[in-house]
Amino acid sequence: MAEPATEDRRVSAHVTLLGGVRGGKYPHGNSLLVEGTEESLVIDPSLSLVARSSLPRVDRVVNSHCHEDHIAGNHLYPAVPWHLHALDRPGLDSLEGMLAIYGYAGASEDYFRKALVTDFHYTPRPGAATFEDGAVFDLGGVRVRVVHAPGHTRGHCCLSVEPDGVLYLGDIDLTSFGPYYGDAWSSLPDFEQTLRAVGALEAEHYATFHHIGVITGRAAFLERLDRFTAVIAVRERRLVEFLAQARTLDEIVAHRFVYRPGDPVPFADSVERRSMSQHLERLVAEGRVREVEPERYLTSARLPRDRTSPTGGATAPLREKEST
């Protein structure tokens, strides 16, 4: 028997959080419905909407980015335009374009090719409508403004609902799992820059696709953002410590720095390789790690450098890491 979705929540005058199964834990999510006097739109229709007996009427679908869980409900709205950032549009053009975003190979690619269609209802929309940073959807009495926030994917965006004071964060989900930058189209430096930029954005309510749902109040948001950001430094510190003895990239992947050892994630090795390769590139450039042989690394004698939080203060202590 399927688990019931979390109850919908009215966030503001024009915004409703459409609650996902288990609070939006992956593969589910919390979608956002924005209703104006002239139009309405849904942001990131999730897998949880598929099981609903009735759906909200909308004039547009807006995707914060092109990942499987964020487009799983797009097919429920075949007659309306689908919008996403131009940099992520290849993922809606074709299944091959979608797979290129992840960059998986071998068994991981085989698994995901099937899962996209059978589990996430992947439906291509060649030539989907695109937007850029700063684009505005005027729905009548309420506007949804695009804030490009890359790193998770090239085209990942936040969406600001005005004048309601609601900032939808997409997959800046503020969980203890931390930032995800494990795909071919992910970028650790871009994600870190995005986290600093998002920390400067003012809102009354901050909504996430997974787990959290809605955080009210800037102080509570900044505390969670610092905790979320701190995971990056924890991963990097653990990697430096692990490399006190020379290790190959394969050994680094097997050790697991993103997922917990034993977590049954079919694509974990691909994510670990991409994520840790980005950390290694930076550590080598900073002189903190040496590549003593091709794809074999050793920590150098230089002391580690502190990385500050998005708010400029010390990072908060972490809770136990949870996997998606």
Side-chain angles (χ1 to χ4, degrees), residues 8-322:
D8 297 345
R9 173 182 172 183
R10 191 75 170 181
V11 179
S12 64
H14 302 95
V15 178
T16 301
L17 186 82
L18 305 177
V21 171
R22 292 195 294 170
K25 183 175 181 178
Y26 182 88
H28 293 272
N30 303 301
S31 306
L32 221 61
L33 175 66
V34 187
E35 299 172 287
T37 58
E38 298 178 12
E39 286 190 352
S40 62
L41 60 78
V42 62
I43 301 172
D44 289 348
S46 76
L47 196 59
S48 296
L49 297 187
V50 176
R52 292 197 175 206
S53 58
S54 62
L55 294 169
R57 188 200 67 79
V58 302
D59 300 286
R60 303 178 186 278
V61 169
V62 175
N63 294 124
S64 64
H65 63 291
C66 200
H67 266 167
E68 71 284 358
D69 46 337
H70 293 256
I71 65 170
N74 278 26
H75 71 285
L76 300 170
Y77 297 100
V80 307
W82 300 355
H83 303 259
L84 79 171
H85 194 280
L87 291 175
D88 273 12
R89 192 179 81 173
L92 285 183
D93 283 344
S94 67
L95 181 59
E96 295 303 319
M98 186 72 177
L99 287 166
I101 291 176
Y102 305 101
Y104 298 158
S108 295
E109 180 183 1
D110 293 341
Y111 164 82
F112 227 69
R113 180 183 294 274
K114 181 179 179 181
L116 283 169
V117 176
T118 60
D119 299 338
F120 293 99
H121 311 280
Y122 177 79
T123 304
R125 176 65 70 93
T130 61
F131 50 67
E132 303 285 348
D133 182 51
V136 174
F137 295 91
D138 190 340
L139 309 180
V142 60
R143 300 172 304 279
V144 179
R145 180 170 55 86
V146 173
V147 181
H148 189 209
H152 183 64
T153 68
R154 294 171 183 170
H156 182 276
C157 292
C158 298
L159 295 147
S160 177
V161 184
E162 304 160 351
D164 291 42
V166 177
L167 181 64
Y168 177 72
L169 297 166
D171 264 353
I172 303 173
D173 54 23
L174 307 181
T175 65
S176 57
F177 179 79
Y180 177 96
Y181 40 90
D183 293 341
W185 284 21
S186 301
S187 167
L188 173 56
D190 285 353
F191 210 142
E192 290 176 316
Q193 184 175 344
T194 282
L195 291 170
R196 291 189 290 270
V198 166
L201 297 178
E202 299 278 351
E204 183 177 351
H205 306 285
Y206 299 84
T208 71
F209 186 70
H210 293 300
H211 296 277
I212 305 301
V214 177
I215 292 176
T216 297
R218 181 163 174 76
F221 161 67
L222 291 177
E223 179 182 0
R224 294 302 294 254
L225 182 64
D226 275 355
R227 287 173 177 262
F228 182 73
T229 303
V231 174
I232 296 174
V234 170
R235 289 172 183 160
E236 197 159 279
R237 187 190 70 233
R238 290 177 56 222
L239 177 59
V240 169
E241 292 170 352
F242 185 65
L243 296 179
Q245 175 182 332
R247 314 272 190 174
T248 65
L249 183 56
D250 285 343
E251 289 174 316
I252 293 168
V253 168
H255 187 73
R256 295 280 185 98
F257 292 88
V258 179
Y259 294 103
R260 292 175 296 209
D263 276 353
V265 180
F267 44 88
D269 284 357
S270 295
V271 172
E272 296 283 345
R273 186 173 298 274
R274 171 63 178 158
S275 300
M276 291 303 107
S277 291
Q278 292 183 82
H279 281 286
L280 284 169
E281 181 178 356
R282 174 160 71 193
L283 290 168
V284 169
E286 292 176 352
R288 296 171 60 194
V289 165
R290 294 181 292 120
E291 188 173 10
V292 293
E293 298 173 15
E295 292 199 347
R296 187 175 181 86
Y297 301 90
L298 178 69
T299 298
S300 69
R302 290 183 58 179
L303 294 176
R305 185 180 70 178
D306 291 335
R307 301 193 188 279
T308 58
S309 74
T311 56
T315 53
L318 291 172
R319 297 178 297 145
E320 182 182 356
K321 185 176 73 173
E322 59 196 16

